[in-house]
Amino acid sequence: MRLRHRSLHWCPPSAADAARMPLTPSEPPTLSAVTELVMGLMEPDPDLARVSGVQSADEVSEIYAHAAKPLIGLLTALGGNRADAEEVAQDSFVRLLEHWTKVRDYDNPEAWLRTVAVRTMISRHRRREVARRALRSPRANDPPTPSTDSQVDLAEALSQLPITHRAVILLHYVDDLPVDEVARRLCIPVGTVKSRLSRARAALAPLLTDEETSST
Amino acid sequence: MTDLSRKLTEHVADVTPDAAPSFNAVLSRSQRRRRRRQAGWAASSVAVVVVGAVGFGGLLSVSGQDQGTTSVSGQDQGTTTGPGPSDTRHSSHPSTQSTVPIPPDTKPNTPPPVQFLAGGKTVNIAPYSFCWFGPEGDGVRQSGLCADGWLEDKDLVDVADRKAVDFWFAADGDWNFQATFSELGEKCPRRITVPVEKTGEGSFRVTPAGLAGDYRVDLFGRGRQGSVGAAFKWSTLTRGTMPQPDAYMGLVSGAGGDLQTYGLELSVSDLAATPQTATARVTVTASNGRSMSIDAHRKGSAQNCRDEGSVFFTGDRPQSQQFLALGPAPYTYDVALTLDGSTYAGQGVWPTDERKSERPYVTLTFDPPLPAFTGDN
């Protein structure tokens, strides 16, 4: 049985995100639903009991079979850490499982899954960053000096970027999302996406080989 | 062919594991979570990590759960009768004040609420999403908290039908806000982003945007202490700032000192309406007069919801790469944009028209002008 959509909302607002490809579950607003997800504090979907848990698990496991690995890859590139990526990916699948009665009707449940996962990773990283900054001396707070070595490893270069910039550039260039879609998924203004892309491109520019550059 | 997209995609592939953990791990995690909930372990406190002010003595506080629940959403907004400017309901000339007191119930290390007056009382709207850092200076290194959240439409605080929304934000320093209006009830609403007027120290005014109607208004503020997002519902009485069509194209970039391309992107927004059909042919001419044309592909029209009045195109990356071989900069971008049968000619020059903080995007100017949203069309 296909269940009817609820009207959900994700910031920034778009009713279509809810009706066509909603990116958020329907919990009451809280300080940080994403953070709650990580901590396991979200209330379960009340509709869950209306659909067999076994059936939900079977259907989600099918998605897991083909989506888990690439999701872990994306999250590893985003967060720079495989263990974190696996944990966040699993948390996101738990979330998907808990909300499957709604998400299964969306046009693109995997987009929902990846958005939840990316935001969760950003949230987790930000918390750690806050803690790390708090423990550092002011001198250590200085931004890292960008490498001038054109052969610098891409992973290293990515790690020099703020995670919010990494998310923008990965969603834009790997997930192939337009700027406004990235903005919608990350709940930030379009202009912010464009400026972050600009800075991220500039930071990664030394990595591009001679094949794709020409002298000015 | 190499480009940033390919490199990033390869990098993601490189770090993608050969095998994922068993799905049983997800099921186990789900069961553990359910058991924790049933046991009441989670209680109702909000899980955030708060790092308190760190002086030379070290970490003073760490756990957000120790901080208790923080009022954030529209559901939780408090009302006080604290000091504040006069109620500006139906007033176009609200008073302002030089300093805004921080509400006494504001939690440490969290942003103050956005405040406005309603019915003679101060209404607090706590940000649903923020990154907030405390003071830096001698003896105090840094403190802060980040939280990502969202607010459903049904939980928005309704500021009713006032002519302008004046609000106050009790943060030090130079804060700037912008407001994004999204019409409520629309499937793919037009989103209109406008700057928020600063009317005094810590006081701001939002004026209507778009046609009169029921809107969700998302405030996005930045300042010395971080950034905040907050939202409210507003039924505007009058037509406000109408968006003008905006078009930009990205192709060639000079980042790193060498010319490079990240692929062609062409975005047009704030049109009168979303066109049923849209095509774009892009011609790039180098300074030596050599040129090349490609057809851009419209994206996202079928699968994803796009803002009303917007279209987005991309070009094949291998083809985009060939533009670099045309010759030296500057490059003139000519765009033949056809929207529902009407063709508009757009032009921009890289790097002359490059947007400073949005490199390598170039502003395109169209002739005839692109159809603007007026509410009458």
Side-chain angles (χ1 to χ4, degrees):
Chain A
M1 182 183 69
R2 305 290 279 179
L3 300 178
R4 193 169 58 85
H5 291 173
R6 284 190 211 161
S7 178
L8 309 177
H9 221 103
W10 178 266
C11 74
S14 163
D17 280 343
R20 293 171 57 85
M21 192 185 68
L23 301 175
T24 182
S26 61
E27 288 74 17
T30 60
L31 173 59
S32 172
V34 172
T35 306
E36 288 181 56
L37 161 67
V38 175
M39 302 299 289
L41 300 180
M42 297 295 284
E43 287 301 313
D45 182 350
D47 288 342
L48 194 59
R50 288 159 53 186
V51 174
S52 161
V54 174
Q55 182 188 351
S56 294
D58 285 348
E59 292 173 350
V60 171
S61 72
E62 288 177 16
I63 294 179
Y64 188 86
H66 70 265
K69 285 194 296 181
L71 180 61
I72 292 170
L74 179 74
L75 293 173
T76 303
L78 177 62
N81 180 300
R82 169 70 62 79
D84 279 356
E86 289 187 354
E87 192 170 338
V88 170
Q90 288 187 14
D91 270 325
S92 302
F93 273 100
V94 169
R95 181 72 165 266
L96 182 64
L97 188 60
E98 291 180 341
H99 298 278
W100 184 241
T101 54
K102 293 187 292 288
V103 180
R104 68 203 294 257
D105 280 350
Y106 298 165
D107 287 349
N108 192 346
E110 283 186 45
W112 183 94
L113 174 75
R114 287 171 82 84
T115 300
V116 167
V118 167
R119 287 182 55 106
T120 303
M121 180 61 86
I122 292 173
S123 190
R124 166 184 291 229
H125 192 277
R126 277 174 148 181
R127 292 196 308 275
R128 285 188 179 166
E129 180 67 11
V130 167
R132 192 169 63 82
R133 286 185 184 184
L135 293 169
R136 285 192 313 204
S137 67
R139 188 167 299 171
N141 280 337
D142 294 340
T145 304
S147 171
T148 56
D149 182 358
S150 62
Q151 300 305 314
V152 68
D153 179 68
L154 181 59
E156 175 64 22
L158 278 174
S159 73
Q160 302 285 322
L161 293 171
I163 194 168
T164 49
H165 291 56
R166 269 178 268 160
V168 163
I169 206 160
L170 286 170
L171 289 175
H172 188 61
Y173 284 110
V174 177
D175 276 13
D176 204 23
L177 297 177
V179 166
D180 63 345
E181 185 66 23
V182 175
R184 198 185 287 276
R185 292 198 183 188
L186 297 180
C187 301
I188 53 179
V190 168
T192 303
V193 172
K194 288 188 283 190
S195 61
R196 285 179 183 175
L197 271 179
S198 178
R199 288 196 289 272
R201 285 167 175 147
L204 299 180
L207 297 176
L208 299 180
T209 65
D210 291 340
E211 292 175 59
E212 59 200 298
T213 61
S214 64
S215 297
T216 49
Chain B
M1 185 274 293
T2 60
D3 61 10
L4 184 56
S5 177
R6 187 180 66 79
K7 279 183 174 288
L8 286 167
T9 303
E10 285 178 354
H11 172 63
V12 171
D14 285 345
V15 297
T16 296
D18 294 331
S22 163
F23 186 65
N24 286 336
V26 173
L27 296 176
S28 299
R29 187 177 289 257
S30 177
Q31 287 166 357
R32 285 200 302 273
R33 184 170 299 174
R34 198 174 302 129
R35 281 198 297 270
R36 282 202 301 268
R37 275 195 295 258
Q38 287 169 349
W41 175 84
S44 59
S45 61
V46 174
V48 295
V49 172
V50 178
V51 178
V54 179
F56 294 119
L59 197 64
L60 299 180
S61 65
V62 173
S63 167
Q65 292 196 346
D66 292 337
Q67 303 288 321
T69 302
T70 301
S71 160
V72 162
S73 71
Q75 276 188 336
D76 297 332
Q77 85 281 4
T79 56
T80 67
T81 53
S86 60
D87 192 339
T88 58
R89 188 180 172 89
H90 299 291
S91 165
S92 58
H93 300 287
S95 64
T96 60
Q97 61 182 43
S98 59
T99 58
V100 181
I102 297 176
D105 55 350
T106 300
K107 305 273 186 211
N109 301 304
T110 63
V114 168
Q115 299 175 279
F116 62 92
L117 286 176
K121 291 185 176 182
T122 303
V123 176
N124 297 333
I125 303 177
Y128 60 74
S129 183
F130 59 84
C131 214
W132 192 257
F133 294 90
E136 295 177 65
D138 292 340
V140 178
R141 291 172 183 166
Q142 200 168 60
S143 60
L145 179 153
C146 291
D148 292 312
W150 59 80
L151 193 58
E152 293 184 65
D153 291 347
K154 66 182 177 62
D155 297 309
L156 294 171
V157 173
D158 190 347
V159 301
D161 55 357
R162 60 189 70 195
K163 288 181 178 176
V165 175
D166 290 280
F167 68 88
W168 300 268
F169 188 66
D172 295 333
D174 190 22
W175 273 75
N176 290 292
F177 283 84
Q178 56 182 201
T180 298
F181 287 68
S182 307
E183 193 163 9
L184 289 166
E186 292 293 319
K187 193 172 183 183
C188 291
R190 180 182 298 277
R191 291 192 296 174
I192 306 172
T193 298
V194 293
V196 172
E197 180 188 359
K198 194 167 187 173
T199 54
E201 187 69 31
S203 60
F204 303 86
R205 177 179 301 163
V206 188
T207 51
L211 302 174
D214 296 335
Y215 289 93
R216 174 187 172 120
V217 181
D218 281 80
L219 298 173
F220 186 78
R222 284 186 183 281
R224 191 160 58 89
Q225 296 93 333
S227 60
V228 298
F232 56 86
K233 178 187 175 185
W234 184 14
S235 300
T236 57
L237 296 169
T238 57
R239 170 191 294 247
T241 303
M242 303 302 282
Q244 292 303 305
D246 178 55
Y248 66 83
M249 192 181 117
L251 177 62
V252 177
S253 170
D258 290 326
L259 294 183
Q260 48 198 281
T261 178
Y262 303 101
L264 186 151
E265 296 176 42
L266 170 61
S267 172
V268 184
S269 58
D270 293 320
L271 294 166
T274 301
Q276 292 292 316
T277 62
T279 61
R281 184 163 180 79
V282 174
T283 300
V284 178
T285 306
S287 63
N288 59 10
R290 292 182 62 200
S291 66
M292 176 182 163
S293 299
I294 65 169
D295 290 319
H297 310 292
R298 185 177 183 181
K299 287 200 67 176
S301 56
Q303 289 296 318
N304 299 321
C305 173
R306 311 305 305 267
D307 292 352
E308 173 66 16
S310 67
V311 285
F312 186 80
F313 301 87
T314 58
D316 290 335
R317 288 202 167 89
Q319 280 190 305
S320 303
Q321 205 68 37
Q322 296 172 22
F323 286 117
L324 294 177
L326 288 173
Y331 296 100
T332 301
Y333 301 159
D334 286 293
V335 177
L337 179 68
T338 303
L339 307 173
D340 289 331
S342 299
T343 299
Y344 304 85
Q347 190 176 80
V349 178
W350 185 91
T352 312
D353 301 328
E354 192 175 54
R355 297 181 175 187
K356 199 170 280 185
S357 63
E358 299 174 359
R359 296 187 172 100
Y361 297 132
V362 165
T363 299
L364 297 176
T365 304
F366 279 85
D367 183 24
L370 293 170
F373 175 64
T374 63
D376 303 323
N377 40 26

